[in-house]
Amino acid sequence: MKILLTGFEPWAAWSSNPSGVVAESLDGASIGGCEVVSAVLPVVHGADIDRVAPLIAEHEPVAVVCLGLHGSASALHVERVGINLKVIDGVDYPIVEGGPDAYFSTLPTRAMVQRMEDVGVPVRLTYSAGTFLCNHIMYSVLHLVAEDDLPAGFIHVPPTPELVTELGRSQPSMALETIRTGVVAGVTAVVENIKVRRV
Ligand code: PCA
């Protein structure tokens, strides 16, 4: 069994992206008996899902968990909804012309939150992944697998203390190791849920 875990490359003022760093660091790891296949995606509309679609076809994962940086988050955000909207230079566009308005995450979001709390990582359920690339990959993956029995969803992670101080800011942050611990706990819940569903 494999699980596909993606993060993003750095973008804008962020010199690194903890979502991509954590995803990459878990490539090849075994979580709950499931092998992690990870990918770091470009922060470019269309190029993101173009990387993910062939990986799903190649590896036939049992779930897809996407990660991204939320610049002002103070906890992990287990996103519940991806919407059919992308905003580019202040102009609204659908991600998929004629597609459903939204998809709910098909990951066991409450169980993921519980597992993360159990290991002492601040987390909450959230109901908007924004209108940029994070929402884009969440909606695009859920649309891609809408007809398949393949759980998919998204987790936003906070910036690290190093990233925040580098920008001269005094805002919430989370150590990379804590983010990683939380992501592993979340993925553990995903794998447990798949095993339960398959019994
Ligand atoms: N976060 C951005 C895009 C890439 C990333 O890591 C977002 O929240 O949309």
Side-chain angles (χ1 to χ4, degrees):
M1 284 204 306
K2 291 182 183 176
I3 192 153
L4 181 59
L5 181 68
T6 73
F8 277 107
E9 291 176 351
W11 96 106
W14 306 105
S15 66
S16 99
N17 191 327
S19 69
V21 174
V22 165
E24 205 161 36
S25 78
L26 290 169
D27 191 35
S30 173
I31 301 180
C34 212
E35 183 195 340
V36 176
V37 174
S38 74
V40 181
L41 310 178
V43 186
V44 179
H45 289 110
D48 55 346
I49 187 68
D50 287 350
R51 275 290 307 286
V52 173
L55 290 173
I56 293 175
E58 180 187 343
H59 294 283
E60 299 181 339
V62 293
V64 182
V65 179
C66 300
L67 309 174
L69 169 62
H70 186 309
S72 55
S74 56
L76 296 188
H77 290 181
V78 178
E79 301 291 352
R80 298 201 83 181
V81 186
I83 59 174
N84 191 14
L85 175 68
K86 60 181 174 186
V87 180
I88 302 175
D89 296 331
V91 182
D92 296 344
Y93 302 93
I95 293 172
V96 176
E97 198 83 50
D101 288 342
Y103 287 103
F104 285 113
S105 170
T106 47
L107 299 178
T109 53
R110 288 189 185 276
M112 292 164 75
V113 166
Q114 187 61 55
R115 270 278 179 185
M116 291 171 176
E117 284 175 349
D118 287 349
V119 293
V121 176
V123 56
R124 62 194 183 99
L125 284 174
T126 43
Y127 297 83
S128 169
T131 55
F132 192 43
L133 261 297
C134 291
N135 176 69
H136 186 267
I137 194 64
M138 180 173 180
Y139 183 91
S140 300
V141 170
L142 285 164
H143 185 70
L144 179 72
V145 304
E147 303 298 319
D148 306 333
D149 184 23
L150 176 57
F154 190 90
I155 306 169
H156 259 128
V157 308
T160 60
E162 295 79 7
L163 283 172
V164 166
T165 50
E166 196 176 284
L167 294 176
R169 297 183 187 171
S170 56
Q171 61 170 82
S173 60
M174 189 181 280
L176 192 70
E177 209 39 53
T178 309
I179 296 173
R180 194 174 187 275
T181 300
V183 169
V184 170
V187 171
T188 302
V190 172
V191 175
E192 281 170 355
N193 188 257
I194 286 158
K195 287 181 177 164
V196 168
R197 285 177 351 134
R198 290 190 168 190
V199 168

